[in-house]
Amino acid sequence: MTTVTRPTSSVGTAHTRVEGRDKVTGAARYAAEIPFAELAHGWLALSTVARGRIRALETDRVLAMPGVITVLHHGNAPRLDTDHVGLLGVPPDPSAALFQNDRVPHVGWPVALVVAETSEEAREAAEALVVHYDQEPHEVAFSADHPEAHPLDGHMPAVTAKGELEAALAASAVVVDAEYTTPEEHHSPMEPHAATARWDGGRLDLVDSNQGATWVQDSIAKIFSLDPGAVRVRSEHVGGGFGSKGVRAHQVAAVMAATALQRPVRVVLTRRQMFTLAGHRSPTTQRVRLGADSDGRLRALQHRSVNHTSTVFDYVEPSAGVARVMYDADAHHTANEVVRLDVPTPTWMRAPGEAPGAFALESALDELAEKCGIDPIALRARNEPTAGPVSGLPFSSRNLLTCFEEGARRFGWADRDPRPGVRREGRWLIGTGTAASSFFAGAAPSTAAITAEADGTFTLRTAAADIGTGARTALTLVAADALEVPPERVRVRIGDSDFGPAMIAGGSMGTRSWAWSITAAAAELRERLAPGADIPPEGITVRSDTTAALGALPQRERHSFGAQFAEVAVDVTTGEVRVRRMLGIFAAGRIVNPLTARNQLVGGMIWGISMALHEEAVRDRASGGNVGADLAGYHVAAHADVPHVEADWVDDPDPDDPVGIKGIGEIGIVGAAAAVANAVWHATGVRHRNLPIRPDRVLLAADDA
């Protein structure tokens, strides 16, 4: 075989999605669209009380309804195992172990699965199921001063501390001491959660919408005490996840029913059920205390964050973690705490910790800049650390100030009048704001297999997940460069646990992790392909595993960074806030595909607008459930809210990565809400420390001012 050397790199060149035609023509099928013979449909019945016990279920009437095949519940369900370690060393949420007892820990807890011949019959029967409860008092009200708030380790230590905080604050010429809050937020991907389970020749086949096929495979095998080789999970196309598409109740329910009935069973969550069963971003209350000299140099930094979690599983929203990376001080204290309430378990949501944490920290930095009479960008430059503020490790690269310099130039920051409330256009007050962003740039062990086919093409197989990010296309470009062939000669197959272990699409680590394994496999394959050698009909396959390579990496602080800029217009007579334009400049490693990368960054920034102005899930204290648990009651940014958003990047390849990748999935949302909030202050002269910045809050603040 003769390889074709590429004169230019595919990586870094804009490329349309390789599966784009299939998606727009409907040929790409999602989890709930794939047909199966003799398919039955399951519908979850959810609790209507927030705490208590199931006294009885009236199943006889339901079983007599048209099309109903069975009703699974705690009285007849098989015993499941959740005593094992899940992804990234975090134990699995026991919520996925359905129907194991009669306890109800929150509204919307699954109490039964009704299986019928059609989804309509299953839904009608599930809604007709009568459940009797012994109800108990519940508590859903969240506050940081809750008596049971306590520090808790998550995927990072709960508490870090160095220096004497109170003494440093007392010695500071300028002090900021403020509390910031963010509400409960929900993922709301376009494609609902869906799974179909069937047994095929003694092997469980699960067709699912998830963010990591081998992750789900491993957990399902352990929950049902199966050999991992007896479980196959497929997830070829995914319509968004944002952290929510891991191991959930609907997958377990589908497997449970398929096992009991020995026929395929599909379970799809409704939009309302997703507000209960898909996780959410916990509300946070964060106290930030900054002490600085008159020139703005930090002496003291304290960042304490409290979030709610369920009584079933402890989830930490590590919002104070962002301070451990961004700014240093002689006295540096951070803490992540939780309060257990009768609510569903929160979970990872785009930029978990960093998104709410950056709102608090970057707002506080803006307040400090105001008090010191220093430009907000100059203040950040003055406090740029030379090493990790907590770890002490060197940064692999840190081009934050380059982002600010380029962003300030393009945004026109130098022309800004720093005085708040002085720029007006008719009834609108105009303001601009900025904020920094960062997100961890990690990689996890992954495997990949590349086959040199007899026809001169290459087939790449990896259990990567494309959740709408363009990962399939990015991996095509990476493989093409690594093999030194045009992208047209590379076929990429993903989303199948049979392809071997791979990192999930999450934590901005997916493309970086998968690309690492692809380059390793390609390098070995090229060594085995002698020029002019014949390829056998079955091809030549090489498989890689990056576990050892990643274990040998030197310890560094590895992060993407960015600078966010926003211009807003505020009508203080109606409370309306309009974001006129946003600019984000990022240092996020080597950009594999500029076309899809820009989409990712802009999407994160738009979500930041949504976070700043719209998104807020409210719990009814009487029922314990969400008010308006749908996209009519839960508002997200629409096209009319986003007139002009621009994202770009500076050169920032990671020297320790074979492709130079860092990760871009989450950096776009971090700091965006703070930039908007800081712009609202500049427009009005009033600080908004509680998200979202609703019209009523603007009006109230204007009255108070």
Side-chain angles (χ1 to χ4, degrees), residues 54 56-60 63 70-79 98-102 110-114 129 131 256:
I54 301 169
L57 297 95
E58 297 184 11
T59 59
D60 290 346
L63 288 167
T70 190
V71 179
L72 297 175
H73 52 84
H74 73 277
N76 60 10
R79 298 301 91 187
L98 296 181
F99 316 141
Q100 297 302 288
N101 54 58
D102 62 358
V111 295
L113 178 75
V114 178
L129 179 66
V131 183
M256 193 179 283

Short mmCIF file of all heavy atoms in Angstrom, two decimals, residues 54 56-60 63 70-79 98-102 110-114 129 131 256:
data_model
loop_
_atom_site.label_atom_id
_atom_site.label_comp_id
_atom_site.label_asym_id
_atom_site.label_seq_id
_atom_site.Cartn_x
_atom_site.Cartn_y
_atom_site.Cartn_z
N ILE A 54 -44.06 3.70 50.50
CA ILE A 54 -45.16 3.17 49.70
C ILE A 54 -45.90 2.14 50.54
O ILE A 54 -45.32 1.13 50.96
CB ILE A 54 -44.62 2.51 48.42
CG1 ILE A 54 -43.82 3.52 47.59
CG2 ILE A 54 -45.78 1.93 47.59
CD1 ILE A 54 -43.04 2.88 46.45
N ALA A 56 -49.02 0.77 49.49
CA ALA A 56 -49.63 -0.20 48.59
C ALA A 56 -49.71 0.38 47.18
O ALA A 56 -49.79 1.59 46.99
CB ALA A 56 -51.03 -0.58 49.08
N LEU A 57 -49.70 -0.52 46.18
CA LEU A 57 -49.91 -0.14 44.79
C LEU A 57 -51.10 -0.93 44.27
O LEU A 57 -51.16 -2.16 44.42
CB LEU A 57 -48.69 -0.44 43.92
CG LEU A 57 -47.38 0.30 44.23
CD1 LEU A 57 -46.49 -0.56 45.13
CD2 LEU A 57 -46.63 0.63 42.94
N GLU A 58 -52.04 -0.28 43.64
CA GLU A 58 -53.22 -0.95 43.07
C GLU A 58 -52.91 -1.34 41.63
O GLU A 58 -53.24 -0.64 40.68
CB GLU A 58 -54.43 -0.03 43.15
CG GLU A 58 -54.84 0.34 44.58
CD GLU A 58 -56.10 1.18 44.63
OE1 GLU A 58 -56.77 1.31 43.58
OE2 GLU A 58 -56.41 1.71 45.71
N THR A 59 -52.27 -2.50 41.49
CA THR A 59 -51.81 -2.93 40.17
C THR A 59 -52.83 -3.74 39.39
O THR A 59 -52.73 -3.83 38.16
CB THR A 59 -50.52 -3.76 40.30
OG1 THR A 59 -50.77 -4.90 41.14
CG2 THR A 59 -49.40 -2.92 40.93
N ASP A 60 -53.80 -4.36 40.06
CA ASP A 60 -54.74 -5.25 39.36
C ASP A 60 -55.49 -4.51 38.26
O ASP A 60 -55.64 -5.02 37.14
CB ASP A 60 -55.73 -5.87 40.35
CG ASP A 60 -55.05 -6.88 41.28
OD1 ASP A 60 -53.91 -7.29 40.96
OD2 ASP A 60 -55.65 -7.25 42.30
N LEU A 63 -53.15 -3.80 35.33
CA LEU A 63 -52.82 -4.99 34.54
C LEU A 63 -53.96 -5.40 33.62
O LEU A 63 -53.74 -6.07 32.60
CB LEU A 63 -52.46 -6.14 35.48
CG LEU A 63 -51.11 -6.01 36.19
CD1 LEU A 63 -50.98 -7.03 37.31
CD2 LEU A 63 -49.97 -6.20 35.19
N THR A 70 -47.00 -5.97 32.02
CA THR A 70 -46.57 -6.18 33.41
C THR A 70 -46.38 -4.84 34.10
O THR A 70 -46.29 -3.79 33.45
CB THR A 70 -45.25 -6.98 33.46
OG1 THR A 70 -44.97 -7.37 34.81
CG2 THR A 70 -44.08 -6.17 32.95
N VAL A 71 -46.32 -4.89 35.42
CA VAL A 71 -45.99 -3.74 36.24
C VAL A 71 -44.88 -4.16 37.20
O VAL A 71 -45.08 -5.09 38.01
CB VAL A 71 -47.21 -3.22 37.04
CG1 VAL A 71 -46.79 -2.02 37.90
CG2 VAL A 71 -48.34 -2.84 36.11
N LEU A 72 -43.73 -3.53 37.10
CA LEU A 72 -42.62 -3.83 37.99
C LEU A 72 -42.56 -2.78 39.10
O LEU A 72 -42.75 -1.59 38.86
CB LEU A 72 -41.30 -3.82 37.21
CG LEU A 72 -41.16 -4.89 36.12
CD1 LEU A 72 -39.87 -4.68 35.34
CD2 LEU A 72 -41.19 -6.28 36.72
N HIS A 73 -42.30 -3.23 40.33
CA HIS A 73 -42.23 -2.34 41.48
C HIS A 73 -41.40 -3.00 42.57
O HIS A 73 -40.84 -4.09 42.35
CB HIS A 73 -43.64 -1.99 41.98
CG HIS A 73 -44.50 -3.19 42.23
ND1 HIS A 73 -44.47 -3.92 43.40
CD2 HIS A 73 -45.41 -3.81 41.43
CE1 HIS A 73 -45.32 -4.91 43.34
NE2 HIS A 73 -45.91 -4.87 42.15
N HIS A 74 -41.34 -2.38 43.75
CA HIS A 74 -40.44 -2.89 44.78
C HIS A 74 -40.86 -4.26 45.31
O HIS A 74 -40.05 -4.97 45.92
CB HIS A 74 -40.35 -1.90 45.94
CG HIS A 74 -41.58 -1.84 46.79
ND1 HIS A 74 -42.67 -1.07 46.45
CD2 HIS A 74 -41.89 -2.45 47.97
CE1 HIS A 74 -43.60 -1.21 47.39
NE2 HIS A 74 -43.15 -2.03 48.32
N GLY A 75 -42.11 -4.66 45.06
CA GLY A 75 -42.59 -5.96 45.54
C GLY A 75 -42.21 -7.12 44.65
O GLY A 75 -42.24 -8.27 45.10
N ASN A 76 -41.85 -6.85 43.39
CA ASN A 76 -41.55 -7.97 42.49
C ASN A 76 -40.27 -7.79 41.68
O ASN A 76 -39.93 -8.63 40.85
CB ASN A 76 -42.72 -8.22 41.53
CG ASN A 76 -43.03 -7.02 40.64
OD1 ASN A 76 -42.28 -6.07 40.60
ND2 ASN A 76 -44.16 -7.09 39.94
N ALA A 77 -39.56 -6.70 41.88
CA ALA A 77 -38.36 -6.42 41.09
C ALA A 77 -37.18 -7.25 41.59
O ALA A 77 -37.09 -7.59 42.78
CB ALA A 77 -38.01 -4.94 41.17
N PRO A 78 -36.23 -7.59 40.72
CA PRO A 78 -35.03 -8.31 41.15
C PRO A 78 -34.14 -7.43 42.02
O PRO A 78 -34.18 -6.20 41.95
CB PRO A 78 -34.34 -8.66 39.83
CG PRO A 78 -34.81 -7.61 38.87
CD PRO A 78 -36.22 -7.31 39.27
N ARG A 79 -33.32 -8.07 42.84
CA ARG A 79 -32.38 -7.33 43.69
C ARG A 79 -31.19 -6.87 42.84
O ARG A 79 -30.66 -7.62 42.01
CB ARG A 79 -31.87 -8.21 44.83
CG ARG A 79 -32.94 -8.70 45.80
CD ARG A 79 -33.70 -7.56 46.46
NE ARG A 79 -34.90 -7.17 45.70
CZ ARG A 79 -35.65 -6.12 45.99
NH1 ARG A 79 -35.30 -5.33 47.01
NH2 ARG A 79 -36.71 -5.85 45.27
N LEU A 98 -33.44 0.77 40.87
CA LEU A 98 -34.89 0.94 41.00
C LEU A 98 -35.55 -0.14 41.84
O LEU A 98 -35.13 -1.30 41.84
CB LEU A 98 -35.53 0.93 39.61
CG LEU A 98 -35.16 2.05 38.65
CD1 LEU A 98 -35.91 1.86 37.34
CD2 LEU A 98 -35.47 3.40 39.24
N PHE A 99 -36.60 0.27 42.54
CA PHE A 99 -37.57 -0.65 43.15
C PHE A 99 -36.93 -1.63 44.14
O PHE A 99 -37.30 -2.80 44.20
CB PHE A 99 -38.32 -1.44 42.06
CG PHE A 99 -38.77 -0.62 40.89
CD1 PHE A 99 -38.69 -1.13 39.59
CD2 PHE A 99 -39.28 0.66 41.07
CE1 PHE A 99 -39.11 -0.38 38.51
CE2 PHE A 99 -39.70 1.41 39.98
CZ PHE A 99 -39.61 0.89 38.69
N GLN A 100 -35.98 -1.12 44.93
CA GLN A 100 -35.30 -1.98 45.89
C GLN A 100 -35.91 -1.93 47.28
O GLN A 100 -35.62 -2.78 48.12
CB GLN A 100 -33.82 -1.60 45.95
CG GLN A 100 -33.07 -1.80 44.64
CD GLN A 100 -33.15 -3.24 44.14
OE1 GLN A 100 -32.52 -4.13 44.71
NE2 GLN A 100 -33.94 -3.47 43.10
N ASN A 101 -36.75 -0.94 47.55
CA ASN A 101 -37.44 -0.86 48.84
C ASN A 101 -38.64 0.06 48.69
O ASN A 101 -38.90 0.58 47.60
CB ASN A 101 -36.48 -0.37 49.94
CG ASN A 101 -35.82 0.95 49.57
OD1 ASN A 101 -36.49 1.95 49.32
ND2 ASN A 101 -34.48 0.96 49.54
N ASP A 102 -39.34 0.28 49.79
CA ASP A 102 -40.56 1.08 49.73
C ASP A 102 -40.33 2.55 50.07
O ASP A 102 -41.28 3.32 50.18
CB ASP A 102 -41.63 0.49 50.66
CG ASP A 102 -41.20 0.48 52.13
OD1 ASP A 102 -40.05 0.91 52.43
OD2 ASP A 102 -42.00 0.05 52.98
N PRO A 110 -39.05 7.09 41.10
CA PRO A 110 -39.74 6.01 40.40
C PRO A 110 -40.32 4.98 41.38
O PRO A 110 -39.60 4.44 42.22
CB PRO A 110 -38.64 5.38 39.54
CG PRO A 110 -37.58 6.44 39.42
CD PRO A 110 -37.62 7.18 40.72
N VAL A 111 -41.61 4.75 41.27
CA VAL A 111 -42.26 3.77 42.15
C VAL A 111 -42.71 2.54 41.38
O VAL A 111 -42.98 1.50 41.99
CB VAL A 111 -43.47 4.40 42.88
CG1 VAL A 111 -42.99 5.50 43.82
CG2 VAL A 111 -44.50 4.94 41.91
N ALA A 112 -42.81 2.63 40.04
CA ALA A 112 -43.21 1.47 39.25
C ALA A 112 -42.87 1.70 37.78
O ALA A 112 -42.70 2.85 37.34
CB ALA A 112 -44.70 1.20 39.40
N LEU A 113 -42.76 0.62 37.04
CA LEU A 113 -42.62 0.67 35.59
C LEU A 113 -43.76 -0.13 34.98
O LEU A 113 -43.90 -1.33 35.25
CB LEU A 113 -41.28 0.07 35.13
CG LEU A 113 -41.09 0.04 33.61
CD1 LEU A 113 -40.77 1.44 33.08
CD2 LEU A 113 -40.00 -0.96 33.20
N VAL A 114 -44.57 0.53 34.19
CA VAL A 114 -45.65 -0.14 33.48
C VAL A 114 -45.17 -0.45 32.07
O VAL A 114 -44.70 0.45 31.36
CB VAL A 114 -46.92 0.74 33.43
CG1 VAL A 114 -48.01 0.04 32.64
CG2 VAL A 114 -47.39 1.05 34.85
N LEU A 129 -52.17 4.36 37.53
CA LEU A 129 -51.75 3.58 38.69
C LEU A 129 -51.97 4.37 39.98
O LEU A 129 -51.51 5.50 40.11
CB LEU A 129 -50.26 3.21 38.56
CG LEU A 129 -49.66 2.41 39.72
CD1 LEU A 129 -50.28 1.02 39.81
CD2 LEU A 129 -48.13 2.31 39.56
N VAL A 131 -51.21 4.77 43.87
CA VAL A 131 -50.21 4.40 44.87
C VAL A 131 -50.60 5.05 46.20
O VAL A 131 -50.92 6.25 46.25
CB VAL A 131 -48.80 4.88 44.44
CG1 VAL A 131 -47.76 4.43 45.47
CG2 VAL A 131 -48.45 4.36 43.06
N MET A 256 -34.27 -4.23 33.27
CA MET A 256 -35.07 -5.02 34.20
C MET A 256 -36.28 -5.63 33.49
O MET A 256 -36.58 -6.83 33.63
CB MET A 256 -35.52 -4.13 35.35
CG MET A 256 -36.11 -4.85 36.55
SD MET A 256 -36.56 -3.68 37.86
CE MET A 256 -34.95 -3.30 38.55
#
